[in-house]
Amino acid sequence: MSVSTVMHEARAELFDTSLLAGRSKESDLSRFLSNVELPAGRHKLDVYVNDLWKGRFKVLLGSTREDVKIASTAISELGLQTSWVSPAADSDNWIPVQYISEGATFVLDISTQSLRVSVPQAYVRRTDESYIDPQFWDPGLPALILGYNAVYNRLEAQSTNVATNDFYSGLNLGVNIGGWQFRELGSASKRSDERIQYQSNLRYAQNNIASLKSVVRVGEFYSGGELFESVKTKGVGLSSDINMLPNSMQAFSPVVRGTARTNALVIVKQNGSIIYQENVPPGPFVIDALPQTGSAGDLTVIVQEASGEVTSFTIPFSSVPSMLKAGVSKYALTLGSAVQPNTNYTPDFFQATWQRGLDNRATGYLGSTMSPEYQAYLIGGAFNLPVGALSLDVTHARTDLKERNFTGQSIRITYSKLLDATATNFTLGAFRYSSANFYTFDDAIYAKENNFSKNRKKYQNRFDIHQTEDTSVIDMKTWDSLTGARPRNNFSLNISQRLPGEWGSVYFAGVQRDYWGSNKKSREYQFGFSKSFNQVSISLSVNKVRDSHGHEQTRSYIGFTIPFEMFSNRATLASSVSFAESRYSQSNTSVSGSALQSQRLSYSVAASHDPENRAISVGSTYRANNVTVGGTLGEASDYRQFGLDARGTVVMIPGKILASNDMGNTMLVVEAPKAKGMVVNGDASVVTDEDGYALVPYASPYRTNSIMLSEGANTSGGRVIGNVAHSVPFADAVAKVTFKTDLRQALNFRALHANGSPLPFGAEVLDQAGNSIGYVGQASTLYINYDKRPSQLTVRMHDSVCAINLPDVLAPRASVSCR
């Protein structure tokens, strides 16, 4: 490597001014090549490695662009190999950027306050390119948060003129301070003449611990449900947050190992598509950063040698939910009291789970739930086999009830496989056998009150899709626990099949349960078919569902959708017919679409018919800058309906209150001082206010979020300097992204020499004090920026100057004289 190569990369591009027309070829453009716009010393710059943003680092600048140094400790944080030993680090461990790896080059971009480094791939650590070192994760600002989703609905019976008015609002209340996030998740509801009621669902404080890749929670929250069933808990929990890991470590994928005889190209394919490729030198190679590839499909590894020789081999790959990548661990610890609904029994308990990816083929896991009157122990493993992915675990539980003690076991098996030859995705999910004396923790809690008979009467004919005024929705699992229905076998099956040629695809999903002490069985299933041709989509489905009285019913559906264009926007015509037990049930026809800039307005018009009724309805939703509002209106022969809804988030940060048009968890505050009307990431519904602030309700935690500002129809005020910035927030944080702005006023006007000839392109414009405030652009137009409007300007050309007396008012299309 030679320093001259680096200097070539760093030197500004030259423009041949002789290519300009007329006297413009005599322009002095040397000021645009200035490399001393930043003084020598330490500066904090955005650093990119191979065009990927890695964070804001302290950089030491010398007197020239070529004299740029960075701390040697930053090499690892930039995602580079630390085995490269630099010969040029000084006594303070500052290293010239060209020596951070062999073959490194760089460009210092003063205009964007950034340093762009190019490094050979061999010296980049094998991890996700998009992964940012945890030191740059932003815990965010102190903030008060109110997220809401409010719905009002009025339903009036035509025959009786009796109306019911229902109001509901889901609420997400939060306080972020000192790295802690306090959350209250609840709902407010009111029905007709009843008083408004508030229900708290979860209430907790959490702290994200980057060093442990974990999160700690204190308060009311749900325990993890991956190995044991999730339990609402009042206590404390510490658990892994897999989102803190690089993307390739979050989901199971095998490690590819092989040997190359020459400089070779290694290609990894799944289901016929290339998912990864890399150049490797001669010798053994390891590829351990495959992207997330789904849960099924063997991997074909192709090694293309420089000699032209090609070899390949297959790595069996199927995955089930409990599989982890080799070397990755997950854990969860929970200590507290169980506070399940529909019971007053709140036992103390401790629960611990641990999972570990052992190698390409196996993941092991353990778990335990301990309570004074209930103990359970789980052991299991997940295996990536040539015949598919299989997980198997056994749970042993002891339950102490008033009458007697029960000891039993439960065996759970999950299987998944993609049959490549027939493109069949086959999943046998959670086949579970439980012995007669096995209780889950849920079962034990409800059984402790010994109120089976009371619950059977209270919840008679109550199922998960039915709701009465005096009870809340109950899912099937809770129903079984409340009524003492003890599952014996639970069998679920999921199959999806792509049909040959252009015949579409089919799927089947079903579950069957049977119980100890009963001959009854519960069955639910779905079957569907879909096909698209010439943009027209046809679908058919058959479902077994339960009605409000618990009766099973088979319903079928057939429908089609046709896209078309209306008022220069896309819209969709949809029509469907449904049947219940082979009898006609209902038909629907609708037109829906969106309009306005950024598709801010969505709408639908629908008509329906059933054997007893005809109805028509309209609905619309509009995304304003600070709230999303919508309304619905429907009428039929026996009812009239009217509804309103609104959702959004209000955030208070020090010195500012902001609002967005959607509910958010992890959010970004954009600040571009005094730049009003700037559009954020091209979404015309997210724009900066008069102070230059905007709230973005959607951000990806622990990942780079790039924010780009562009001018909108009503942009005014400060001019943004550099329109792209980045942030890597913690989960549930309110992070801040700040842009620099030029607050000077801008003025454009045309000026000519006294003889009517144009001024040369690129000539510099100075104010009375001799400060450079602008330049001459095309067609002899002057572009100037100023704090205080000047009365006189000087235009400095290559070999002469001329002066302009600037009038207070400039007439449209008028020209001023430069003498």
Side-chain angles (χ1 to χ4, degrees):
M1 182 198 71
S2 65
V3 178
S4 61
T5 303
V6 178
M7 293 173 66
H8 172 74
E9 292 290 335
R11 193 164 52 236
E13 297 293 337
L14 296 177
F15 180 76
D16 187 355
T17 58
S18 66
L19 298 175
L20 295 172
R23 293 194 62 193
S24 293
K25 66 180 65 177
E26 302 174 6
S27 299
D28 180 9
L29 303 181
S30 61
R31 67 186 182 281
F32 294 116
L33 304 179
S34 173
N35 63 354
V36 292
E37 295 178 36
L38 282 178
R42 298 185 184 186
H43 299 269
K44 207 165 189 179
L45 304 179
D46 287 307
V47 177
Y48 296 77
V49 174
N50 296 344
D51 293 327
L52 293 171
W53 183 74
K54 292 297 181 180
R56 290 184 63 82
F57 289 80
K58 288 183 178 179
V59 175
L60 181 62
L61 301 184
S63 58
T64 67
R65 282 179 182 261
E66 291 74 38
D67 186 7
V68 181
K69 297 180 180 180
I70 195 167
S72 59
T73 54
I75 294 178
S76 176
E77 297 160 4
L78 290 171
L80 303 181
Q81 299 281 7
T82 56
S83 56
W84 165 252
V85 179
S86 165
D90 60 24
S91 58
D92 294 325
N93 286 322
W94 288 97
I95 177 173
V97 175
Q98 60 264 37
Y99 292 115
I100 62 175
S101 79
E102 186 174 358
T105 60
F106 70 91
V107 173
L108 178 63
D109 190 337
I110 301 299
S111 64
T112 60
Q113 302 279 290
S114 65
L115 178 67
R116 295 183 176 270
V117 184
S118 178
V119 174
Q121 193 66 29
Y123 295 96
V124 178
R125 280 207 314 268
R126 298 182 182 277
T127 185
D128 286 274
E129 293 180 335
S130 61
Y131 188 69
I132 302 298
D133 192 278
Q135 72 158 316
F136 296 108
W137 296 353
D138 189 350
L141 303 167
L144 299 177
I145 302 166
L146 169 61
Y148 60 91
N149 181 21
V151 179
Y152 166 77
N153 189 68
R154 177 181 175 85
L155 190 61
E156 181 179 333
Q158 298 279 48
S159 58
T160 62
N161 288 328
V162 175
T164 58
N165 296 277
D166 291 292
F167 170 80
Y168 169 86
S169 180
L171 298 172
N172 182 357
L173 309 174
V175 178
N176 290 3
I177 188 169
W180 283 90
Q181 298 152 353
F182 301 84
R183 291 295 183 269
E184 165 89 13
L185 281 68
S187 61
S189 60
K190 184 181 186 303
R191 183 168 187 177
S192 295
D193 297 329
E194 297 177 1
R195 299 178 62 182
I196 191 167
Q197 296 181 347
Y198 177 78
Q199 179 178 350
S200 175
N201 299 324
L202 296 176
R203 182 181 294 154
Y204 60 86
Q206 69 177 22
N207 195 305
N208 302 287
I209 307 173
S211 59
L212 299 178
K213 302 295 190 293
S214 301
V215 58
V216 60
R217 287 191 178 93
V218 180
E220 284 187 2
F221 56 92
Y222 282 99
S223 66
E226 216 166 324
L227 301 184
F228 293 106
E229 292 163 340
S230 185
V231 176
K232 189 175 182 180
T233 305
K234 181 181 290 185
V236 59
L238 178 67
S239 60
S240 303
D241 186 349
I242 203 165
N243 293 317
M244 295 186 184
L245 298 177
N247 290 338
S248 61
M249 306 295 286
Q250 292 184 21
F252 171 77
S253 61
V255 177
V256 176
R257 292 180 171 86
T259 303
R261 298 176 57 191
T262 63
N263 287 332
L265 175 65
V266 179
I267 301 172
V268 183
K269 302 178 73 175
Q270 185 184 44
N271 304 327
S273 299
I274 296 175
I275 62 171
Y276 187 87
Q277 63 182 28
E278 180 178 346
N279 291 310
V280 299
F285 62 84
V286 177
I287 299 175
D288 57 0
L290 291 177
Q292 296 189 38
T293 58
S295 62
D298 295 344
L299 302 180
T300 300
V301 182
I302 302 169
V303 183
Q304 296 182 355
E305 303 284 357
S307 62
E309 180 183 359
V310 177
T311 59
S312 66
F313 54 94
T314 299
I315 297 179
F317 172 43
S318 291
S319 177
V320 289
S322 49
M323 294 200 76
L324 295 177
K325 192 177 183 70
V328 175
S329 296
K330 285 177 62 178
Y331 71 93
L333 304 173
T334 306
L335 176 65
S337 301
V339 285
Q340 293 291 77
N342 303 299
T343 178
N344 295 319
Y345 180 52
T346 58
D348 295 333
F349 77 102
F350 171 74
Q351 188 176 92
T353 62
W354 179 79
Q355 299 166 258
R356 174 75 175 179
L358 303 176
D359 56 26
N360 271 1
R361 295 185 177 273
T363 296
Y365 48 92
L366 302 166
S368 178
T369 300
M370 306 293 292
S371 184
E373 295 168 301
Y374 179 85
Q375 300 86 43
Y377 308 92
L378 178 148
I379 185 171
F383 308 95
N384 177 30
L385 306 175
V387 295
L390 177 74
S391 70
L392 171 66
D393 57 65
V394 178
T395 304
H396 173 84
R398 174 186 171 88
T399 307
D400 299 331
L401 299 179
K402 294 179 180 179
E403 304 87 357
R404 52 177 290 199
N405 299 330
F406 297 89
T407 301
Q409 294 77 36
S410 180
I411 301 174
R412 179 173 51 187
I413 302 174
T414 303
Y415 173 79
S416 176
K417 176 65 178 177
L418 174 67
L419 304 178
D420 296 319
T422 60
T424 302
N425 195 343
F426 176 84
T427 303
L428 168 63
F431 168 75
R432 186 163 191 162
Y433 168 80
S434 300
S435 64
N437 292 330
F438 176 81
Y439 285 75
T440 66
F441 192 31
D442 261 358
D443 294 336
I445 290 173
Y446 291 113
K448 187 65 177 178
E449 291 188 325
N450 195 24
N451 59 357
F452 290 160
S453 59
K454 178 177 63 177
N455 283 325
R456 281 197 182 98
K457 183 176 180 180
K458 178 180 179 181
Y459 298 103
Q460 189 68 32
N461 295 328
R462 286 276 290 104
F463 287 88
D464 56 332
I465 62 173
H466 179 59
Q467 185 174 4
T468 61
E469 295 183 21
D470 60 338
T471 56
S472 58
V473 172
I474 297 177
D475 58 75
M476 184 60 68
K477 175 64 182 68
T478 304
W479 166 257
D480 289 342
S481 295
L482 281 169
T483 58
R486 308 277 310 295
R488 177 169 52 184
N489 292 294
N490 186 311
F491 178 85
S492 63
L493 176 66
N494 289 270
I495 300 177
S496 61
Q497 173 70 59
R498 188 174 64 250
L499 300 178
E502 301 296 326
W503 285 98
S505 61
V506 295
Y507 69 89
F508 175 84
V511 61
Q512 176 176 297
R513 307 177 186 89
D514 58 32
Y515 302 88
W516 288 103
S518 173
N519 294 324
K520 292 184 178 181
K521 294 182 177 180
S522 171
R523 296 185 183 92
E524 301 174 34
Y525 62 80
Q526 298 177 331
F527 168 80
F529 163 81
S530 62
K531 173 177 170 52
S532 297
F533 57 93
N534 295 330
Q535 294 190 329
V536 178
S537 298
I538 297 177
S539 59
L540 179 148
S541 65
V542 180
N543 303 329
K544 181 177 280 293
V545 299
R546 296 178 182 273
D547 64 19
S548 60
H549 299 290
H551 302 141
E552 292 185 344
Q553 187 180 76
T554 301
R555 295 183 179 178
S556 54
Y557 162 99
I558 183 170
F560 68 87
T561 60
I562 303 174
F564 64 97
E565 189 170 287
M566 184 168 64
F567 306 120
S568 300
N569 289 280
R570 290 185 63 85
T572 302
L573 170 66
S575 186
S576 64
V577 180
S578 58
F579 302 86
E581 303 296 352
S582 301
R583 296 180 180 179
Y584 169 74
S585 176
Q586 190 179 59
S587 60
N588 294 274
T589 300
S590 66
V591 174
S592 60
S594 55
L596 304 182
Q597 189 179 15
S598 297
Q599 310 300 304
R600 297 176 72 163
L601 176 70
S602 60
Y603 61 87
S604 66
V605 180
S608 64
H609 171 271
D610 62 45
E612 300 178 353
N613 210 353
R614 290 183 177 88
I616 186 169
S617 62
V618 296
S620 181
T621 299
Y622 178 74
R623 290 187 299 119
N625 292 351
N626 297 325
V627 64
T628 296
V629 294
T632 58
L633 184 65
E635 185 162 352
S637 56
D638 60 351
Y639 71 83
R640 181 180 291 125
Q641 179 270 340
F642 171 72
L644 294 172
D645 58 82
R647 70 176 183 273
T649 302
V650 178
V651 173
M652 179 185 292
I653 59 174
K656 191 69 178 176
I657 298 178
L658 299 167
S660 73
N661 58 19
D662 210 344
M663 296 185 71
N665 294 315
T666 306
M667 293 172 279
L668 296 177
V669 172
V670 177
E671 181 189 15
K674 302 301 181 182
K676 179 183 178 181
M678 298 297 294
V679 178
V680 180
N681 287 349
D683 185 349
S685 70
V686 183
V687 298
T688 56
D689 62 17
E690 59 185 10
D691 294 324
Y693 283 84
L695 177 63
V696 181
Y698 42 82
S700 300
Y702 314 116
R703 296 296 178 268
T704 300
N705 292 265
S706 296
I707 299 297
M708 183 176 67
L709 298 184
S710 57
E711 292 188 356
N714 300 309
T715 298
S716 63
R719 180 173 57 88
V720 174
I721 302 173
N723 68 331
V724 179
H726 310 279
S727 177
V728 186
F730 275 91
D732 294 341
V734 179
K736 187 178 181 181
V737 177
T738 302
F739 291 83
K740 291 185 178 180
T741 55
D742 185 346
L743 301 180
R744 296 178 298 173
Q745 298 184 59
L747 180 64
N748 306 329
F749 61 93
R750 197 162 186 259
L752 301 171
H753 280 294
N755 61 6
S757 62
L759 298 172
F761 173 82
E764 188 174 16
V765 181
L766 311 174
D767 63 11
Q768 298 101 310
N771 299 314
S772 178
I773 62 171
Y775 59 92
V776 178
Q778 291 181 343
S780 200
T781 300
L782 273 64
Y783 298 86
I784 64 173
N785 295 280
Y786 57 87
D787 293 316
K788 181 179 180 181
R789 183 184 174 97
S791 59
Q792 189 176 61
L793 301 173
T794 301
V795 179
R796 184 165 62 188
M797 293 162 281
H798 182 67
D799 55 0
S800 62
V801 296
C802 65
I804 298 173
N805 291 317
L806 188 63
D808 293 335
V809 179
L810 288 168
R813 299 189 180 90
S815 298
V816 297
S817 180
C818 189
R819 300 177 183 275

